[in-house]
Amino acid sequence: MGMLGRKRQLALCLLLLTTQAWAEEAAPAEGSQPKTVIKLPLKLKPAAPDAHKAEPAKPAAPAAEHKTEAKPAAKAEAKPEAKHAEAKPAEAKPAEAKQAESKPPEKMEPAVKMAPPPAAKNLSEPSPEVHAPVKKRRAAKPKRKAVPAEHGDAHSASEAQQVRGVVDAIVEANARYMKSHDKAYFERFAEHQNPRATVVTCSDSRVQTNAFHGDAVNDLFMVRDIGNQLATAEGSVEYGVRHLHTPLLIIIGHAACGAIKAASGDYGGLEPAIRKELATIDIPKGIDPTNGALLNVNNQVETAIMTFAGEVEGGKLAVLGAFYDFRNDLKQGYGKLVITNLNGETDPAKIREMTRAGQFFKYSFMK
């Protein structure tokens, strides 16, 4: 058969398929039951260049049955290549979908049964858990033999002896203090404090009030921190100045100050809390420790004058800077308390002149 014969045969098949499709899509006659048509798309292999794609078969199924039947005409006219195509599952019917939605979910019994709820406690009585359990007597353990210090924990033993020595010294000193003062002495400040000066000094253990004051009880309002600064203890200083109304604020630095040495170097490896306090000490890096301590005292005096400007300008507060020289760095004697700043004035000659004249409330900016 030639090419022309093949084309005529293909045209005849397409005409028969079109006529059959029109007949199926026509309106049903009266009294006939409409059929639900489920279309199954077929995946066909690519045809020859001169061939046309065949329409997929349309299987029909009655509404009352779940099985789908393919139409004979469509089955007869399908090409052999469609046999190997994969058929997709049929779409669910609308009636079946609605029935599935309206059906309640199936209740599943738990695999493990739940335990019964705990019994309610009587809250009107105390719980037995709050009472300490009765301690049972234990059998006495045999005493260990004393171990020589060189074989035992010598470090812990030395720390324990040190703590005991400090506690004994404090208790004995307090006993002597009580014997040297009568009842009337303590009654003078038993109900309130009335200090004459607020003192800001370093936390260094070598700096103590008995080094520059014979009896600081109820006379000095002491504030201590590393670096004898206002920034880290401003609330305490403000309480002494504005609530206890002390007319004198003293800033005392000292020789060989560890805070000054650390602030003038690299302290990045220290703990965060210590770094926070060192950051408010404004001195140059690498400065000599003695010069750094003197500069820090001047900076603290200036900060105090600015913080308490109302008391300063009203002549109610004098700010004094001093250096406790227990190492004789200033060559004026071991343990000397040297006044280095008076209301912002740092010239030693002018400081001596002002103190002799009693000008403690005259400030360097007041000309």
Side-chain angles (χ1 to χ4, degrees), residues 4 52 145 147-148 166 230 248 290 353:
L4 184 59
H52 298 280
K145 295 182 180 180
V147 181
V166 173
L230 272 70
L248 177 61
T290 303
E353 181 181 351

Side-chain angles (χ1 to χ4, degrees), residues 198-281:
T198 299
V199 181
V200 181
T201 186
C202 189
S203 301
D204 196 296
S205 62
R206 297 164 293 182
V207 181
Q208 300 297 335
T209 55
N210 58 358
F212 43 83
H213 199 285
D215 188 2
V217 177
N218 201 31
D219 202 32
L220 299 181
F221 184 75
M222 299 297 300
V223 180
R224 300 175 69 108
D225 57 37
I226 58 174
N228 45 271
Q229 50 181 319
L230 272 70
T232 57
E234 187 175 350
S236 298
V237 178
E238 185 171 4
Y239 184 82
V241 172
R242 290 178 173 165
H243 290 261
L244 301 179
H245 307 289
T246 58
L248 177 61
L249 172 60
I250 309 176
I251 311 293
I252 301 178
H254 65 94
C257 181
I260 297 300
K261 184 178 180 181
S264 62
D266 183 13
Y267 53 87
L270 297 177
E271 291 79 3
I274 299 178
R275 295 201 307 266
K276 182 180 179 181
E277 294 198 32
L278 293 175
T280 52
I281 300 177

Side-chain angles (χ1 to χ4, degrees), residues 313-327:
E313 294 178 1
K316 297 181 180 180
L317 180 66
V319 183
L320 188 70
F323 182 82
Y324 176 48
D325 191 9
F326 56 81
R327 206 170 61 173

Side-chain angles (χ1 to χ4, degrees), residues 3 23 29 43 50 65 76 83 91 126 128 150 153 165 170 188-189 191 195-196 200 266 288 302-303 313 334 357 366:
M3 183 64 68
K43 296 182 180 179
D50 55 347
E65 297 181 359
K83 293 181 181 180
E91 298 179 358
E150 59 270 18
D153 193 351
I170 293 175
R188 288 183 296 175
F189 56 84
E191 300 300 332
R196 295 186 296 170
V200 181
D266 183 13
D288 177 78
E302 182 180 358
T303 302
E313 294 178 1
Y334 286 93
M366 297 180 180

Side-chain angles (χ1 to χ4, degrees), residues 98-235:
K98 291 182 179 180
Q99 184 178 1
E101 292 178 0
S102 60
K103 185 178 180 181
E106 184 180 357
K107 294 183 179 180
M108 302 294 293
E109 294 294 334
V112 181
K113 295 184 179 181
M114 297 180 62
K121 293 185 178 180
N122 186 7
L123 301 180
S124 61
E125 298 179 359
S127 175
E129 288 82 0
V130 300
H131 299 290
V134 179
K135 294 184 179 180
K136 297 182 180 180
R137 293 185 179 181
R138 297 181 180 179
K141 295 182 179 180
K143 295 183 179 180
R144 295 181 180 180
K145 295 182 180 180
V147 181
E150 59 270 18
H151 299 290
D153 193 351
H155 182 67
S156 300
S158 62
E159 287 183 347
Q161 292 176 359
Q162 183 179 358
V163 171
R164 182 175 180 178
V166 173
V167 172
D168 292 343
I170 293 175
V171 173
E172 292 175 3
N174 179 252
R176 291 194 300 268
Y177 182 76
M178 290 174 61
K179 290 180 180 180
S180 60
H181 298 83
D182 56 2
K183 179 181 177 181
Y185 172 81
F186 294 101
E187 288 180 345
R188 288 183 296 175
F189 56 84
E191 300 300 332
H192 65 279
Q193 57 177 328
N194 187 28
R196 295 186 296 170
T198 299
V199 181
V200 181
T201 186
C202 189
S203 301
D204 196 296
S205 62
R206 297 164 293 182
V207 181
Q208 300 297 335
T209 55
N210 58 358
F212 43 83
H213 199 285
D215 188 2
V217 177
N218 201 31
D219 202 32
L220 299 181
F221 184 75
M222 299 297 300
V223 180
R224 300 175 69 108
D225 57 37
I226 58 174
N228 45 271
Q229 50 181 319
L230 272 70
T232 57
E234 187 175 350

